[in-house]
Amino acid sequence: MRSAMIKPVMGAVMALALALPALSGAQSVAVTSIVEHPALDSLKDGVKAALEKAGFTEDKGLEWQFQTAQGNTAIAAQIARKFVGDKPDVIVAIATPSAQAVVAATKSIPVVYAAVTDPVEAQLVPSFEPSGTNVTGVSDQLELTRQIELIKQVVPNAKTVGMVYNPGEANSAVVVRQMRELLPDYGMTLAEVSAPRTVDVGAAARSLIGRVDVIYTSTDNNVVSAYEALVKVGNDAQIPLVASDPDSVKRGAIAALGINYYDLGLQAGAMAVEILKGAKPGEMPSQMGEKLELHLNLDAAKKQGVTLSPDLIKSAANVIQ
């Protein structure tokens, strides 16, 4: 009688033992970013905070790993292949080049992209509707008409807008094309110059001196990584800088109407949590950043020869004196 009871108990114990690795593996998150700069770092921190809030912590068995590609697409591809070999339960890919590398490397491991301006143009998903694949995520796409209106508020008489960008970054190329189409409706034209590498940003910005009335920067990762080089040109030549990334205002841009990247990370992290709990990424529609904030830097405005209107200052969420 006793022997007969032992067999089912032992069977249950063995079944539980076999299940334990799967339970452990269900708390494995790998995060990769094309480069480290304040906005993307904030996003990464937001992802981890969302996981921790949901109870997925390293103390409780979460396997968390993070790697940056240091701005190099070849390294991004290497990281993607490594992560796929590690077989985590979710890969969070921050910025377009890293997201493209990860999506190219796996069709089965769930992928949450973040800080991708146009995920459709980048061929990550067919639309913002549920993709039916292993990919979902959060876009930092901005309404460019509002960006242009901000440029006009900062530099009312501007006729030519300059942009420094990496033509190899899909999100940047999309913004440049759209700005080229939209600016004439506001009585302005675009002068763009390429900076394929971070070290090219300063020279590219200097080439705009005497040609533009204002420089606008999108969320181009090369440019944001080397924003101090752009600020030096803006200050020295008194060319106003308007950004789409609020963290760039802290670094010397006059103004930015943009997404809080920590909040964007919370959104992406919440999607990762749902996947860890069993949701399928292909059934989850892509999202967009939910809140825009106006940030101003009055010291930068003074250095770049601009006086901001009291109404604009009053409307800002954050003002650096």
Side-chain angles (χ1 to χ4, degrees):
M1 185 79 174
R2 188 176 172 217
S3 168
M5 290 180 65
I6 288 173
K7 287 183 179 178
V9 170
M10 289 299 295
V13 170
M14 289 181 66
L16 178 61
L18 289 171
L20 284 176
L23 289 171
S24 171
Q27 294 185 346
S28 177
V29 178
V31 182
T32 180
S33 177
I34 187 60
V35 72
E36 291 183 275
H37 60 63
L40 300 189
D41 294 346
S42 294
L43 195 158
K44 177 191 67 176
D45 292 343
V47 170
K48 196 164 192 181
L51 289 165
E52 290 174 350
K53 184 178 179 181
F56 294 97
T57 67
E58 290 173 275
D59 289 344
K60 295 180 180 178
L62 174 71
E63 295 177 14
W64 165 277
Q65 60 173 317
F66 169 75
Q67 289 195 25
T68 173
Q70 302 170 359
N72 189 311
T73 54
I75 295 176
Q78 291 173 7
I79 293 170
R81 288 193 294 271
K82 178 193 180 300
F83 280 0
V84 171
D86 292 342
K87 297 182 180 178
D89 282 276
V90 184
I91 299 176
V92 179
I94 300 173
T96 304
S98 285
Q100 288 175 317
V102 171
V103 170
T106 180
K107 304 301 178 190
S108 56
I109 297 173
V111 178
V112 177
Y113 68 80
V116 174
T117 302
D118 192 333
V120 178
E121 180 80 13
Q123 299 183 339
L124 302 179
V125 289
S127 72
F128 275 79
E129 299 300 315
S131 67
T133 68
N134 61 316
V135 183
T136 187
V138 186
S139 169
D140 61 354
Q141 188 174 114
L142 298 172
E143 187 181 345
L144 288 180
T145 55
R146 294 185 66 183
Q147 299 293 303
I148 296 171
E149 288 165 1
L150 176 61
I151 291 170
K152 292 293 284 184
Q153 287 176 292
V154 174
V155 191
N157 297 320
K159 297 298 181 186
T160 306
V161 177
M163 283 190 72
V164 178
Y165 79 110
N166 174 13
E169 198 167 318
N171 58 308
S172 301
V174 167
V175 173
V176 167
R177 184 177 71 240
Q178 292 175 340
M179 289 290 281
R180 194 186 301 126
E181 294 170 355
L182 289 170
L183 283 171
D185 293 339
Y186 294 81
M188 295 184 286
T189 58
L190 182 69
E192 73 258 28
V193 60
S194 67
R197 303 170 301 164
T198 301
V199 295
D200 299 326
V201 171
R206 286 192 294 274
S207 74
L208 292 173
I209 295 174
R211 298 170 50 202
V212 302
D213 304 303
V214 58
I215 294 175
Y216 172 72
T217 53
S218 68
T219 53
D220 184 290
N221 290 292
N222 275 1
V223 175
V224 176
S225 296
Y227 207 81
E228 284 72 17
L230 203 66
V231 170
K232 181 172 178 11
V233 173
N235 292 347
D236 291 348
Q238 287 211 319
I239 302 175
L241 303 179
V242 177
S244 57
D245 160 33
D247 282 300
S248 294
V249 173
K250 300 174 188 175
R251 299 163 70 188
I254 293 173
L257 179 64
I259 290 167
N260 182 309
Y261 277 81
Y262 182 81
D263 289 345
L264 199 72
L266 291 176
Q267 277 184 258
M271 298 181 88
V273 165
E274 290 304 308
I275 292 169
L276 290 175
K277 290 180 176 179
K280 295 181 179 180
E283 297 176 358
M284 302 167 66
S286 290
Q287 300 177 12
M288 295 182 70
E290 295 172 347
K291 296 185 293 185
L292 292 183
E293 297 177 341
L294 175 62
H295 291 241
L296 300 174
N297 185 328
L298 302 188
D299 182 57
K302 183 177 179 180
K303 290 177 179 177
Q304 294 162 27
V306 167
T307 301
L308 300 176
S309 73
D311 287 344
L312 185 64
I313 296 171
K314 188 176 180 181
S315 69
N318 182 52
V319 178
I320 298 172
Q321 299 293 334

